[in-house]
Amino acid sequence: MSSCSAAQTPHLLNLSPEELAAWLQAGGQPAYRAGQLLQWVFHHRAESFQQMSNLPGELRRRLEQNYRLWTTRPLAHRRAPDGTEKLLLQLADGHSVECVLLRQGPQRRTVCISTQVGCAMGCVFCASGLDGVVRNLTRGEILEQVLRLQQLLEAEERLSHVVVMGMGEPLANLDELLPALDLLTSPQGLGLSHRRVTISTVGLPRGIRRLAELDRPYHLAVSLHAPSDSLRTQLVPVNRSIGLEAVLEAVEEYFRATGRRVTFEYVLLGGVNDSPQAARQLGRLLRPLRPLVNLIPYNPVAGLPYRTPDEQRVRRFVQELQRQGVQVQVRRRKGAGIEAACGQLRRRHVQQQTAESPAKP
Ligand code: SAH
């Protein structure tokens, strides 16, 4: 654990670029220093202020005294044969979050990041929410996941996509997520196109509307998992107070405002929501929105009673949806064997800790 004073030193990445520029200016530095500093952080993958060789030594010392560049400590690092890497990061307050690097083909390098410690949505098949939500991540903690994963890349690899699909409900933490994404998509940060950023939500209509009003065409993915309110409320308890209709209305607004087609995610749980009838019902429900449907065969979570449907059942579901004219893809499983589904690694770590120190409340 870091000392008390170190833990209180502010995180550099929690500053907006404007706040950083103001701090530098107050210390008598020219305006271009902020750009130089961010260049080191985002492009040169700097690990310390000391490495920032084009900053004056005195400034590097002042930065070290006043800010922390890193607040997390990697607790676990896994690498799967397909190139997927997963980090479990310990935050300054001892909690932990997961993030994942996915390698697809020669070019595509995607990071999957978390927005909360735990999750309040309670989806019954998901490891992240089994113990509820602890807190929101700060913008700096969100950015730090991207930077930690970027440091795992080879020199010739470039980060190309960000998916906000890790632990937590992103639309329940937009105040911290949006400034982080602003930096990732600005030339001062990573300069990623908005289109290469996907935000995955359980479907909170107010949050979807707020995104629609932003005028930043992020790709939106909505986790539906059921074609009817009764089944959805069983699987996604937060649906009880929202309802499918309100979710789909907000999605339509997002589509109208941004011109971006929305993706619907649907976790296939054997014998629960994977019947051909469910596929037909889903097709009829979604067809007017001309969506892309992403089917995700259930990734088993220890202790949960669900099962992954077999290939034939998945194929039948795909065919039924296609028959309704809905574009569909089955998400290939990446990182098998490293517990890459959100929340699994953290859960195991927390369980181990609890087992090792039963006296802890
Ligand atoms: N809260 C956001 C992001 C969560 S995780 C949301 O609900 O979209 C991203 C996706 O993984 C969601 O669609 C989620 O339902 C799915 N998921 C969670 N646990 C899973 C599991 N065990 N197997 C397959 N997909 C899972």
Side-chain angles (χ1 to χ4, degrees):
M1 235 357 233
S2 44
S3 74
C4 212
S5 65
Q8 282 159 4
T9 309
H11 192 186
L12 183 87
L13 296 171
N14 275 334
L15 295 184
S16 67
E18 297 73 33
E19 287 166 333
L20 176 61
W23 182 80
L24 288 164
Q25 202 187 9
Q29 294 293 330
Y32 61 80
R33 291 275 186 242
Q36 282 180 317
L37 213 165
L38 292 173
Q39 187 85 18
W40 276 106
V41 173
F42 286 96
H43 291 274
H44 303 313
R45 307 174 191 177
E47 295 194 21
S48 71
F49 292 122
Q50 276 315 320
Q51 282 177 347
M52 304 180 178
S53 53
N54 59 355
L55 301 186
E58 167 58 19
L59 174 59
R60 281 183 263 163
R61 270 189 299 282
R62 280 214 310 123
L63 281 165
E64 240 160 35
Q65 284 159 7
N66 289 281
Y67 292 107
R68 280 180 302 165
L69 188 50
W70 303 105
T71 60
T72 70
R73 190 167 72 89
L75 284 177
H77 176 200
R78 304 271 182 91
R79 191 179 165 130
D82 65 7
T84 303
E85 295 187 62
K86 179 161 195 169
L87 285 178
L88 178 67
L89 296 177
Q90 184 171 55
L91 308 168
D93 63 4
H95 291 299
S96 53
V97 289
E98 300 177 16
C99 51
V100 184
L101 166 67
L102 299 139
R103 292 181 162 92
Q104 294 141 301
Q107 300 284 333
R108 203 172 169 120
R109 298 292 176 268
T110 303
V111 294
C112 175
I113 54 173
S114 296
T115 51
Q116 298 182 310
V117 180
C119 184
M121 300 301 119
C123 303
V124 294
F125 49 82
C126 175
S128 297
L130 290 178
D131 301 315
V133 67
V134 178
R135 69 168 172 87
N136 284 338
L137 296 184
T138 66
R139 69 176 81 175
E141 288 167 335
I142 294 170
L143 286 168
E144 193 168 325
Q145 297 170 63
V146 178
L147 297 176
R148 288 270 187 213
L149 291 167
Q150 184 169 245
Q151 284 179 330
L152 302 177
L153 294 175
E154 301 294 332
E156 68 280 5
E157 289 181 303
R158 291 276 167 278
L159 204 159
S160 62
H161 293 75
V162 172
V163 298
V164 190
M165 270 191 199
M167 290 167 47
E169 170 47 45
L171 301 196
N173 188 18
L174 277 176
D175 288 345
E176 296 297 318
L177 175 63
L178 290 176
L181 294 183
D182 276 345
L183 200 47
L184 294 176
T185 52
S186 88
Q188 281 185 300
L190 285 183
L192 291 177
S193 137
H194 293 109
R195 289 162 197 281
R196 289 173 168 223
V197 175
T198 298
I199 302 176
S200 175
T201 175
V202 74
L204 304 180
R206 210 179 311 151
I208 295 176
R209 291 209 172 84
R210 186 168 158 197
L211 277 184
E213 285 160 12
L214 275 183
D215 196 27
R216 293 184 184 83
Y218 294 122
H219 187 86
L220 185 68
V222 176
S223 298
L224 216 64
H225 309 319
S228 69
D229 271 322
S230 56
L231 185 56
R232 190 164 197 261
T233 297
Q234 269 178 46
L235 302 178
V236 183
V238 71
N239 186 64
R240 187 185 303 279
S241 58
I242 300 174
L244 272 172
E245 201 180 318
V247 176
L248 298 182
E249 266 172 29
V251 165
E252 233 183 299
E253 262 178 56
Y254 189 82
F255 178 55
R256 250 184 277 127
T258 61
R260 299 231 58 193
R261 284 172 74 198
V262 173
T263 297
F264 288 97
E265 289 161 289
Y266 194 103
V267 172
L268 287 169
L269 304 166
V272 177
N273 66 352
D274 66 337
S275 68
Q277 296 89 303
R280 280 194 292 277
Q281 208 181 344
L282 185 69
R284 283 194 296 270
L285 183 72
L286 298 184
R287 198 169 36 194
L289 295 166
R290 297 196 298 115
L292 176 68
V293 172
N294 233 331
L295 298 175
I296 320 169
Y298 170 62
N299 197 340
V301 175
L304 294 186
Y306 303 102
R307 58 184 175 78
T308 315
D310 60 37
E311 279 297 317
Q312 207 189 338
R313 188 93 164 159
V314 174
R315 220 173 310 130
R316 181 80 199 275
F317 201 94
V318 169
Q319 284 164 358
E320 289 293 342
L321 274 178
Q322 285 172 336
R323 216 170 276 163
Q324 308 277 338
V326 170
Q327 198 183 337
V328 53
Q329 66 183 25
V330 180
R331 204 194 287 163
R332 271 192 307 133
R333 214 172 137 189
K334 304 277 288 179
I338 61 165
E339 295 171 290
C342 54
Q344 293 185 5
L345 194 57
R346 167 179 173 265
R347 187 160 170 75
R348 191 133 77 84
H349 182 78
V350 171
Q351 280 171 343
Q352 270 168 5
Q353 269 188 334
T354 321
E356 280 160 18
S357 53
K360 266 193 172 168

